[in-house]
Amino acid sequence: MKKISLFILYSLLAAILVTSCLGDSNQKITIANQPGVAMKSGNDVKIQLKDSIFIYSSQLSGVDNGDCLLLKYNLDYSLGVNADSGRQAGFFTVDLLEASGVPLYTVLNELDTVTMFSNERLIKEIRQGYAYILDRLFLYTIHPVDSFQLQNLFELAYNEKKEPSGTDGNNNPVYNLYLRVFKNPGANEQKTGAPDRLFINAFNLSDIAAKERAAGKDSLFLKINYISSFSRDTSFISDWASIQYAIPFHPKRR
């Protein structure tokens, strides 16, 4: 798969429209900021969205199988192929307006939960909302920024031999993963006092998902830890925050 160039949102998204918008209707609607993953077979490309929904557009080009995207498109229910919410065809046909690449990161089996690394930045918040598509987890993170052209590199890591290391209240195995973010040392950044901004990245969880599927599980349970503060001299991590997700492998189409 080709590398997708780093995609950064420079302002908070007013709304993340999820696939619950895709219901039976006779109207034409515009859907923005929709995460999806390209499924390419020969010259045919479709995009899988959340909840096992698929879209097709003849305008989509230049993507590889497995590419992660953020989409904006018009959906017209008056088209014959969409009249039954795309159930007979198996997909919606849409008028594609934008398709931006979302960075896809591999989960690392290297873990250090004490040391603060060079150029490391804090994460203010991880949004509860997410997208899980073809074992790719789209995360929405909030960061305090200090540049008009903030460029970050992300890292998600865990200790493969020790995970899952705990359970939740229903005795489901929970994987502890650690998300960290670093300033790109090669970027020239113009300083600013801008407010917090939202970033979207995707992480390939196929190895963890395969392990849980092999164990007969139908969902993936994650605890994602992120640094909430450094020591006063910024030599080590003083506090971690966390957020938990229960992710079904086979979500029902809404």
Side-chain angles (χ1 to χ4, degrees):
M1 183 191 307
K2 69 180 180 182
K3 290 184 178 179
I4 303 176
S5 60
L6 185 64
F7 172 70
I8 301 173
L9 289 179
Y10 288 99
S11 61
L12 285 171
L13 301 179
I16 303 297
L17 299 180
V18 296
T19 53
S20 58
C21 296
L22 304 180
D24 294 322
S25 173
N26 292 318
Q27 63 181 342
K28 182 177 180 180
I29 60 175
T30 299
I31 297 178
N33 307 317
Q34 181 77 70
V37 177
M39 299 182 66
K40 187 173 184 179
S41 177
N43 293 324
D44 181 61
V45 181
K46 293 184 178 64
I47 304 296
Q48 182 167 338
L49 311 178
K50 289 179 62 178
D51 301 324
S52 301
I53 290 175
F54 298 83
I55 61 173
Y56 166 79
S57 172
S58 60
Q59 298 138 307
L60 185 64
S61 62
V63 297
D64 286 339
N65 189 53
D67 280 358
C68 296
L69 303 167
L70 200 65
L71 307 158
K72 180 179 180 181
Y73 55 88
N74 291 327
L75 173 60
D76 187 352
Y77 285 97
S78 68
L79 295 178
V81 69
N82 295 332
D84 62 348
S85 293
R87 284 179 168 81
Q88 182 173 349
F91 56 87
F92 290 93
T93 296
V94 304
D95 177 21
L96 186 66
L97 303 176
E98 296 176 13
S100 302
V102 174
L104 176 63
Y105 294 93
T106 300
V107 178
L108 304 178
N109 184 23
E110 303 172 5
L111 195 59
D112 182 340
T113 60
V114 176
T115 306
M116 176 187 170
F117 296 105
S118 176
N119 295 320
E120 189 153 14
R121 283 175 156 147
L122 294 176
I123 296 174
K124 183 175 182 180
E125 175 191 352
I126 301 179
R127 290 277 181 90
Q128 186 66 52
Y130 71 92
Y132 188 75
I133 307 167
L134 296 175
D135 292 337
R136 289 151 172 80
L137 176 63
F138 289 75
L139 285 180
Y140 300 78
T141 57
I142 305 293
H143 305 260
V145 302
D146 57 3
S147 170
F148 285 111
Q149 296 177 318
L150 184 66
Q151 296 191 37
N152 288 334
L153 303 174
F154 289 76
E155 176 185 288
L156 188 63
Y158 77 123
N159 189 325
E160 182 180 5
K161 293 181 179 179
K162 292 185 178 180
E163 295 297 336
S165 59
T167 58
D168 64 10
N170 296 315
N171 206 34
N172 296 306
V174 177
Y175 284 78
N176 272 281
L177 299 123
Y178 293 81
L179 180 64
R180 304 177 77 160
V181 58
F182 306 90
K183 175 182 175 180
N184 183 349
N188 294 319
E189 298 186 346
Q190 182 180 355
K191 296 298 181 182
T192 180
D196 301 336
R197 288 174 179 169
L198 177 67
F199 292 79
I200 302 176
N201 294 278
F203 301 88
N204 191 342
L205 300 184
S206 56
D207 289 346
I208 295 174
K211 183 177 178 180
E212 290 303 288
R213 288 192 181 99
K217 306 297 183 181
D218 59 7
S219 297
L220 188 61
F221 298 88
L222 306 176
K223 180 180 180 181
I224 298 182
N225 304 278
Y226 58 98
I227 300 170
S228 59
S229 65
F230 299 121
S231 63
R232 183 169 297 181
D233 63 359
T234 64
S235 62
F236 63 89
I237 300 164
S238 56
D239 289 297
W240 290 85
S242 64
I243 186 170
Q244 292 195 214
Y245 296 102
I247 302 171
F249 286 135
H250 305 291
K252 294 180 180 180
R253 176 173 172 173
R254 297 178 182 178

